[in-house]
Amino acid sequence: MSNSAVFVPHFHWDREWYEPFQVFRHRLVTALDTVLETAETNPDFRFTVDGQMAAVEDYLEMRPENRDRVAALVREGRLAVGPWLILLDEFLCSGETIVRNLQMGWSAAAELGGAMPVGYLPDMFGHVAQMPQILARAGIGHAALWRGVPGSVDGHAFRWRAPDGSEVRTEFLFDGYDNGLDVLLVPDRIGRALNDYAEMTAGRWGNDPVLAMAGTDHNAPDPHLAAWLRQASGEGRPITVATLDEYLREHVRDGVPAVVTGELRSHVRGNILPGVLSVRLGLKQRMAVAERTLDHAERMNALWSRRDDSPFLTLAWHKVIESSAHDSVVGSGTDETCDQVAARLAEAAQTARAVRDAALAEPAGLVPSDAHLVANPLPFERTALVEVNVVAPPEGTSPVATFADGSEHPVQLISEAPTVLSDERMDASQLERVLRRIHRRELFGRLIDHYDLNPGSLAFHLAEVPSGGPFDLMILRQEVAAAAVAHPGEWRVLTMEEARATALVPVKVPASGLTSFRVEPREGGYAAPGSFATSPGPDTPTPDTPTPAAYTPATATGRTLSNGLVAVSVAADGTLDITGPDGTRLSGVGRLVDGGDRGDSYNYAPPAHDVLVREPTQLTVDLLEDGPLRSRLRVTRVYAWPAALSDDRDLRDERTLPTPVEMLVEVRTGEPFVRISTAFLNRSADHRLRLHVPLPEPVTTSSSAGQFAVTERGLTAEGGWGEHPLPTFPASTFVSAGPASVLLDHSSEYELVDDGSELALTLLRAIGSISVNIHPLRDEPAASEIPAPGAQDLGMRIENRFAVVPSATGWRGAHAVALAEEFRNDVLVTRGTALAAGQLPPDAAGLRVDGQDVLVSSVRRVTDDVTAAGIEVRLAAMRDTASTVRVTGAFSEATTVDLLGRPISRAQAANELELALGPWEIRTVVVR
């Protein structure tokens, strides 16, 4: 039995939750004022600031005069800060966001005297498989956490092992991060209470001292705490006051025999609140957009811009990381809190977009204004379809895309715009009012190419890029004024745009590279079907992927689509039958199942007498496009969904609302998957909608990708606490079950249902309260019962986008890692800005990465005070076997660094670097 105890004073600070950020910050300033005064008054006092620098930054923004006081306590080891910028939800952001969170927190803590070298993760709703590797590759050897630990751990610590074999010693806060508070309830009885607690938990401590976490949410410890503990220590067990770091470094002695590998999502010792994966869909989508836009901005800035926009990128990352907090992106806050998170993510995306567009503007300056620049954010060659607005071809001609190397590709016209924008009649005295619409040369969002002024008529001819001579608004005003005087009476004012069309163009782009094209008319029709060669779509960055010489065009009939690789047909009930390249057939794809939800933002809960709506009341199928590059069908199904739950929350309302759900089904030439998007206006409350992918045979496992790993899961989850262990799981980039892989646009929730015979993806979970006191699947409230009507998403258009890959060889054989990257990362397109018409510039390649199942998580510009500027590349092996990865580009030196950017080794590398990656290894290199 342990004969001593270590108390760790701390607080847990949710930056925003049931109150918005600024309200909580007001409390934070008061709490940290108390902490500083207590520490400076009592040299024995120690305090751990929750493992996140955001609390310190937020405090110092209001109390800048206290920075030196904070730094002095950090340097003395009495105030433990960092290593994170914020305590995140690990499953609802990318692996790269986790790394940047650690980097920014570590850096900010270093400015105050140094970060606590402990991966403190006290209140996250489960933990990702690769967290031990992330910590270990940042030089951190300890973690401390509560939720998700499996029942096999019977001590107070275990060795947590990542898929690659990395390990960190992990302190298991088995009674939560506030286990010391009960001992402190009666100050003059602390000694007795501590004895009782130590004896009750003796089996977990062995010879190590009891760890008593003395703190809770949003409150500073009592200033008398140290005095109380000194008194209690003199009356019984020896008591030490320490930071968490001091406890782990100086007080634990026993070995740690227990090993846990992979993610931590057990319910056995604490609630992991899995319903946060699916509530407030909009936040999950905004997080994905912000991360993706920021990633693209970094890549474009590093590879194609002379300007270092790091300050803007840092700002955007800070806002993304703030939003990844475990009570922010999860959507478990009030409506005003979630509105702030959404706005912050939008601001991050806007900041990143500005950097991205500015970077692309530099090479676009070399492209003629009648052409387009295309940039590939991915480090492997690919062929993508891009939509551009072009001059409509004259009658009797068809458009083709021409490239710098002289090649030509057919173009698919998908829409034509009206040419007459305005046709008005007015008195001559009113003509001056028309001229006020003109801003320099702009009119109706276009530019005036030329105008025709005749007695009684004025015609403006607009163009996106004027081909005529200079335009002088002052001369036009004079001419119109004179004509109005000379010809009084009625005038006709006509505003016409050159005939425009939206064209779909196949564009082959080098790895991380640039290309350009222009669309021109040609006599005759399209080139013969299949006559255009392109790279495999999707390009898997692997040398052993066969490359067909040409693609079969996409075709369509009234209810079928095909491109020679996949075929789709719409069944009588509106679901899809999909056949893959190897003949694998999936039937019933896209079946929608709507049920009631009487739960809250933390946990789903079906009503006791649920009504499931599976069948539509109406069905229509419309052919939208029939190739040759892209074919589309729109399937519209109308469902009668109950309006809400009834007053008895175990029943759904008898009143139903007709809700049309549009499902856009699309195949593109060369792609071995079917793109699907769903959209509907949500009119119902208290319900969950899922899309089902039936499997040919039942399966016992699923696999989902995210945060540098592909994690395999079974049909059940481990229970044992006060929460029903629903086997709903997170997926970030794809989820796979048997022969069906689904590529995802954003973090999503899924479940294998009907004994493993169907994969169900949650499209919407609409609820109206942060937490409910009486929950059928959870014993205790997760928070106060605060209304959150915005979480119903009433009146919102709910859209989801994904793709289905049928393959008998599963996600590995289908190259789902690469497919998911292509699906999520569109090429970037911008119009050229060179004023003079001329030749297209030659293609330009950036960094290229070749290797099977390798994820390139980041490509960015880095600088330091010691070495020259370089480009940092972070790679992850997304497979369970060793692999060789080749990086090529314009560089002469490569430095391997850890996840905090500290050099490990340096080598000469003449435009090529070969890396041997172990299974699931994360590797970061800087090339110069």
Side-chain angles (χ1 to χ4, degrees):
M1 182 179 68
S2 172
N3 58 8
S4 64
V6 176
F7 278 75
V8 174
H10 76 104
F11 58 42
H12 175 55
W13 206 272
D14 301 293
R15 195 167 185 263
E16 54 200 357
W17 181 18
Y18 57 83
E19 294 283 9
F21 161 58
Q22 296 295 358
V23 174
F24 270 148
R25 172 151 72 173
H26 192 271
R27 301 179 191 177
L28 170 69
V29 170
T30 300
L32 280 178
D33 281 346
T34 301
V35 167
L36 295 186
E37 292 166 6
T38 303
E40 291 168 345
T41 302
N42 190 333
D44 294 337
F45 184 75
R46 303 285 191 274
F47 191 78
T48 300
V49 192
D50 204 29
Q52 54 179 335
M53 279 300 298
V56 180
E57 290 184 349
D58 294 340
Y59 173 76
L60 291 178
E61 189 174 6
M62 295 294 104
R63 292 279 194 268
E65 68 275 11
N66 288 344
R67 185 176 183 85
D68 290 343
R69 295 172 65 194
V70 171
L73 291 171
V74 173
R75 289 193 299 269
E76 293 168 11
R78 296 200 290 134
L79 191 67
V81 298
W84 301 102
L85 177 59
I86 208 158
L87 295 182
L88 71 163
D89 186 283
E90 300 168 30
F91 291 97
L92 292 176
C93 64
S94 69
E96 188 61 31
T97 297
I98 297 175
V99 172
R100 302 301 180 90
N101 187 342
L102 185 57
Q103 290 176 344
M104 295 182 77
W106 191 273
S107 176
E111 293 180 3
L112 291 174
M116 175 177 70
V118 178
Y120 187 48
L121 306 162
D123 199 30
M124 287 73 163
F125 308 148
H127 304 278
V128 297
Q130 287 282 36
M131 183 59 75
Q133 184 178 181
I134 292 171
L135 295 174
R137 288 184 180 264
I140 297 174
H142 289 270
L145 49 83
W146 168 32
R147 304 183 195 265
V149 178
S152 59
V153 176
D154 55 10
H156 73 101
F158 60 95
R159 286 154 47 208
W160 188 13
R161 184 176 295 163
D164 77 311
S166 301
E167 288 186 1
V168 291
R169 182 201 178 277
T170 303
E171 187 68 23
F172 178 25
L173 307 176
F174 58 89
D175 273 343
Y177 53 78
D178 59 355
N179 69 317
L181 288 189
D182 288 346
V183 174
L184 302 174
L185 287 176
V186 183
D188 60 359
R189 297 181 183 177
I190 291 175
R192 190 181 71 180
L194 178 59
N195 283 337
D196 292 344
Y197 180 75
E199 291 174 4
M200 181 176 62
T201 59
R204 286 197 176 267
W205 300 110
N207 295 316
D208 289 333
V210 172
L211 171 62
M213 299 293 290
T216 188
D217 296 359
H218 314 130
N219 283 287
D222 193 291
H224 301 98
L225 175 62
W228 296 343
L229 294 177
R230 277 196 302 271
Q231 180 180 343
S233 182
E235 297 172 353
R237 295 173 183 267
I239 294 175
T240 303
V241 178
T243 64
L244 181 60
D245 178 37
E246 288 174 326
Y247 172 78
L248 295 174
R249 284 190 294 106
E250 301 174 10
H251 296 281
V252 295
R253 296 177 295 275
D254 278 359
V256 186
V259 176
V260 178
T261 299
E263 70 175 3
L264 305 179
R265 289 196 63 84
S266 170
H267 307 251
V268 72
R269 288 293 303 185
N271 298 338
I272 65 169
L273 311 172
V276 299
L277 299 172
S278 52
V279 74
R280 295 195 191 262
L281 168 71
L283 291 182
K284 281 64 172 176
Q285 293 174 325
R286 284 181 181 271
M287 174 61 76
V289 168
E291 289 178 323
R292 189 156 50 236
T293 308
L294 185 45
D295 177 37
H296 293 173
E298 284 193 326
R299 297 184 190 216
M300 296 303 106
N301 183 256
L303 296 172
W304 304 115
S305 177
R306 295 182 297 274
R307 170 175 169 169
D308 184 355
D309 267 332
S310 296
F312 290 94
L313 296 168
T314 298
L315 173 65
W317 270 118
H318 203 288
K319 291 184 179 296
V320 166
I321 293 165
E322 290 175 49
S323 304
S324 71
H326 68 287
D327 284 308
S328 297
V329 70
V330 300
S332 60
T334 60
D335 288 352
E336 61 180 343
T337 294
C338 293
D339 288 345
Q340 286 186 327
V341 178
R344 192 184 301 127
L345 287 169
E347 193 173 351
Q350 292 156 8
T351 305
R353 188 180 74 206
V355 173
R356 180 200 68 193
D357 293 350
L360 289 176
E362 295 183 42
L366 303 176
V367 176
S369 58
D370 64 341
H372 290 82
L373 174 75
V374 180
N376 179 11
L378 298 179
F380 50 85
E381 185 181 86
R382 63 195 290 206
T383 294
L385 297 185
V386 302
E387 286 188 21
V388 290
N389 185 267
V390 298
V391 176
E395 188 174 349
T397 68
S398 292
V400 297
T402 61
F403 296 82
D405 63 0
S407 62
E408 296 184 353
H409 291 308
V411 169
Q412 178 181 334
L413 293 183
I414 55 178
S415 67
E416 293 195 41
T419 57
V420 177
L421 303 181
S422 174
D423 189 351
E424 304 168 274
R425 295 186 182 275
M426 64 187 66
D427 188 79
S429 63
Q430 301 298 310
L431 290 176
E432 171 60 25
R433 297 179 61 188
V434 173
L435 302 185
R436 294 175 195 167
R437 302 171 185 169
I438 303 170
H439 299 276
R440 298 181 181 89
R441 194 168 189 164
E442 181 270 330
L443 182 63
F444 283 87
R446 298 297 187 190
L447 298 178
I448 296 174
D449 184 77
H450 64 281
Y451 60 89
D452 297 320
L453 180 60
N454 297 299
S457 71
L458 172 61
F460 293 103
H461 299 269
L462 310 183
E464 186 173 9
V465 179
S467 59
F471 170 79
D472 191 323
L473 181 58
M474 295 302 296
I475 292 178
L476 173 63
R477 289 183 184 278
Q478 295 170 8
E479 292 178 347
V480 169
V485 172
H487 304 282
E490 184 179 76
W491 276 63
R492 182 187 187 191
V493 180
L494 187 63
T495 305
M496 295 176 292
E497 182 180 14
E498 62 185 344
R500 308 290 298 182
T502 301
L504 196 62
V505 182
V507 181
K508 186 174 182 179
V509 200
S512 301
L514 306 174
T515 192
S516 57
F517 69 92
R518 60 164 53 94
V519 175
E520 300 175 320
R522 288 287 185 273
E523 297 292 334
Y526 289 116
S531 65
F532 56 98
T534 179
S535 56
D539 287 326
T540 52
T542 166
D544 57 2
T545 301
T547 303
Y551 280 136
T552 302
T555 60
T557 65
R559 299 176 75 96
T560 66
L561 303 174
S562 179
N563 66 357
L565 294 174
V566 289
V568 189
S569 63
V570 181
D573 62 355
T575 63
L576 308 176
D577 294 337
I578 302 176
T579 304
D582 61 359
T584 298
R585 183 180 175 87
L586 303 174
S587 299
V589 173
R591 182 164 62 93
L592 299 178
V593 179
D594 183 78
D597 191 343
R598 58 159 297 177
D600 52 30
S601 63
Y602 292 102
N603 295 80
Y604 159 77
H609 307 288
D610 201 1
V611 174
L612 298 179
V613 180
R614 296 185 175 92
E615 302 299 329
T617 59
Q618 299 177 42
L619 168 68
T620 59
V621 181
D622 297 303
L623 174 60
L624 303 181
E625 297 174 18
D626 59 0
L629 302 176
R630 182 176 74 188
S631 294
R632 285 177 162 181
L633 293 170
R634 181 177 60 227
V635 180
T636 304
R637 291 170 287 179
V638 180
Y639 294 87
W641 291 341
L645 294 179
S646 67
D647 292 338
D648 178 354
R649 292 184 61 78
D650 271 327
L651 296 172
R652 299 189 79 177
D653 199 323
E654 293 182 358
R655 183 170 57 99
T656 62
L657 300 172
T659 305
V661 180
E662 295 181 354
M663 182 167 66
L664 184 66
V665 187
E666 174 183 320
V667 298
R668 300 181 180 184
T669 181
E671 289 187 342
F673 51 79
V674 178
R675 295 173 180 258
I676 300 173
S677 61
T678 60
F680 63 94
L681 184 69
N682 183 44
R683 304 174 63 201
S684 299
D686 310 316
H687 69 125
R688 181 181 70 173
L689 176 67
R690 301 207 286 189
L691 181 142
H692 287 235
V693 180
L695 306 174
E697 300 288 340
V699 298
T700 57
T701 61
S702 64
S703 299
S704 78
Q707 298 83 34
F708 304 123
V710 179
T711 302
E712 186 173 292
R713 306 182 178 100
L715 297 179
T716 60
E718 184 182 34
W721 188 245
E723 180 180 59
H724 184 79
L726 280 177
T728 51
F729 298 112
S732 292
T733 59
F734 70 80
V735 57
S736 182
S741 294
V742 181
L743 313 180
L744 302 171
D745 178 66
H746 58 269
S747 295
S748 302
E749 173 191 84
Y750 78 91
E751 181 181 1
L752 284 176
V753 298
D754 297 337
D755 298 322
S757 62
E758 296 194 17
L759 175 65
L761 299 169
T762 304
L763 302 185
L764 174 69
R765 200 167 71 82
I767 51 86
S769 181
I770 289 180
S771 178
V772 293
N773 287 315
I774 300 176
H775 194 293
L777 302 183
R778 192 185 65 231
D779 289 348
E780 62 183 15
S784 299
E785 192 164 305
I786 300 173
Q792 297 282 15
D793 280 333
L794 289 171
M796 301 295 291
R797 183 171 174 83
I798 306 301
E799 299 181 354
N800 286 272
R801 186 176 76 96
F802 43 91
V804 177
V805 188
S807 174
T809 54
W811 68 268
R812 293 178 179 86
H815 302 293
V817 171
L819 295 184
E821 284 295 279
E822 283 220 38
F823 175 70
R824 290 166 65 91
N825 294 276
D826 291 332
V827 293
L828 309 173
V829 185
T830 187
R831 178 175 283 281
T833 58
L835 295 179
Q839 295 296 315
L840 298 172
D843 290 358
L847 287 175
R848 178 182 177 117
V849 177
D850 292 290
Q852 191 169 355
D853 294 332
V854 59
L855 171 72
V856 178
S857 176
S858 172
V859 177
R860 64 165 175 161
R861 183 197 307 260
V862 291
T863 58
D864 58 49
D865 297 332
V866 179
T867 56
I871 295 177
E872 180 187 83
V873 183
R874 189 159 14 260
L875 312 102
M878 301 286 281
R879 57 188 300 177
D880 54 8
T881 57
S883 58
T884 299
V885 178
R886 184 173 293 104
V887 182
T888 53
F891 54 85
S892 59
E893 178 186 283
T895 303
T896 299
V897 300
D898 70 6
L899 282 186
L900 297 179
R902 298 172 297 204
I904 297 174
S905 63
R906 182 175 289 116
Q908 298 300 309
N911 302 322
E912 183 173 299
L913 176 66
E914 189 170 284
L915 301 172
L917 297 186
W920 308 110
E921 181 184 353
I922 304 167
R923 183 82 64 87
T924 309
V925 296
V926 178
V927 295
R928 296 180 173 88

